[in-house]
Amino acid sequence: MTTFPENLHLIDHPLVQHKLTLMRRKDASSNTFRTLLNEVSMLMAYEVTRDMPMQDIEIETPLETMTARVIDGKKLVFVSILRAGNGILGGMLSVVPGARVGHVGLYRDPKTLTAIEYYFKMPHDMHERDVIVVDPMLATGNSAIAAVERIKELNPKSIKFVCLLTCPEGIAALHKAHPDVPLYTAAIDRQLDEHGYILPGLGDAGDRIFGTK
Ligand code: URA
């Protein structure tokens, strides 16, 4: 039996599972796929930000003054792995609108499946921030590993990784390279195929979000 790392969080809420099933169907249009991904991302954000630091502030209610808790959204950075990660960003930002955004551009060499970086742009003062890296598919793990490696060079306070779907190979690879990075996913599928696609999966997430196939 496969055992998974303790810092793997499977988000198996019925709303998430239902929407994911609709997304997997090959006849879902790009518009439907994008809308569902946006909704699932909001629901996943709820889980991933559960332990966000909070601070007390004084506010006035219509009746009296009170001390109430707020988050400091600016301390959070969502890092999108281009291009499919952008499909998750909108949903996450609608839940934490004050968050900053970074982008990592990586493409998979079709022969070796290794990740090659072509773009890297992060907010300033990364050492003061908590990072949530987003990419819908954690497949071979190569892009995730390379992205996290680059982000670690900037010494952020913490890094989490969020995907919609993964597989045992992706989980093992990411955990081996970055055992300190908690992984959040809505599903663990059966396996990778010889082209690095997740089975049964949902196909190429970027193509499905942007209608490029
Ligand atoms: N990337 C995708 O978009 N889909 C997969 O199945 C694997 C990697």
Side-chain angles (χ1 to χ4, degrees):
M1 206 184 83
T2 320
T3 51
F4 293 119
E6 271 179 18
N7 58 0
L8 169 71
H9 303 264
L10 182 62
I11 303 177
D12 57 0
H13 191 287
L15 286 172
V16 172
Q17 296 303 312
H18 177 82
K19 289 174 193 298
L20 173 57
T21 299
L22 300 181
M23 293 174 73
R24 288 181 187 270
R25 298 173 72 157
K26 67 176 181 193
D27 51 3
S29 69
S30 272
N31 187 29
T32 300
F33 190 91
R34 257 195 318 269
T35 303
L36 288 164
L37 181 55
N38 194 55
E39 292 170 2
V40 170
S41 305
M42 283 190 233
L43 296 166
M44 292 184 79
Y46 181 80
E47 206 47 57
V48 177
T49 55
R50 181 174 283 284
D51 59 357
M52 262 175 89
M54 304 204 70
Q55 64 190 59
D56 287 341
I57 58 164
E58 288 262 297
I59 59 161
E60 301 268 340
T61 79
L63 300 177
E64 57 181 59
T65 304
M66 73 172 284
T67 306
R69 302 202 304 156
V70 288
I71 55 168
D72 184 355
K74 291 191 185 64
K75 290 274 184 275
L76 193 64
V77 183
F78 295 122
V79 175
S80 165
I81 301 185
L82 297 173
R83 67 185 163 146
N86 281 0
I88 295 186
L89 264 185
M92 295 263 166
L93 282 170
S94 58
V95 179
V96 192
R100 302 296 160 93
V101 177
H103 290 93
V104 186
L106 298 160
Y107 67 88
R108 288 207 292 183
D109 182 296
K111 287 215 175 75
T112 63
L113 303 184
T114 55
I116 307 196
E117 182 182 308
Y118 63 88
Y119 189 74
F120 188 81
K121 184 91 182 171
M122 295 295 137
H124 296 298
D125 304 325
M126 286 290 281
H127 61 281
E128 291 176 2
R129 302 183 193 278
D130 295 300
V131 173
I132 297 177
V133 184
V134 300
D135 191 355
M137 311 297 275
L138 177 63
T140 60
N142 291 339
S143 312
I145 291 166
V148 170
E149 230 159 66
R150 284 288 277 122
I151 294 163
K152 277 186 174 174
E153 289 171 13
L154 304 174
N155 278 319
K157 281 166 66 185
S158 69
I159 304 179
K160 292 175 178 172
F161 194 92
V162 181
C163 61
L164 182 64
L165 269 194
T166 187
C167 54
E169 296 90 330
I171 295 169
L174 181 63
H175 188 69
K176 185 164 180 237
H178 300 293
D180 53 319
V181 173
L183 171 61
Y184 293 76
T185 185
I188 302 169
D189 276 13
R190 192 180 68 245
Q191 68 184 90
L192 278 186
D193 74 6
E194 66 278 20
H195 306 292
Y197 279 87
I198 295 174
L199 297 175
L202 49 72
D204 187 298
D207 283 341
R208 298 208 59 190
I209 294 165
F210 299 111
T212 40
K213 211 165 198 176

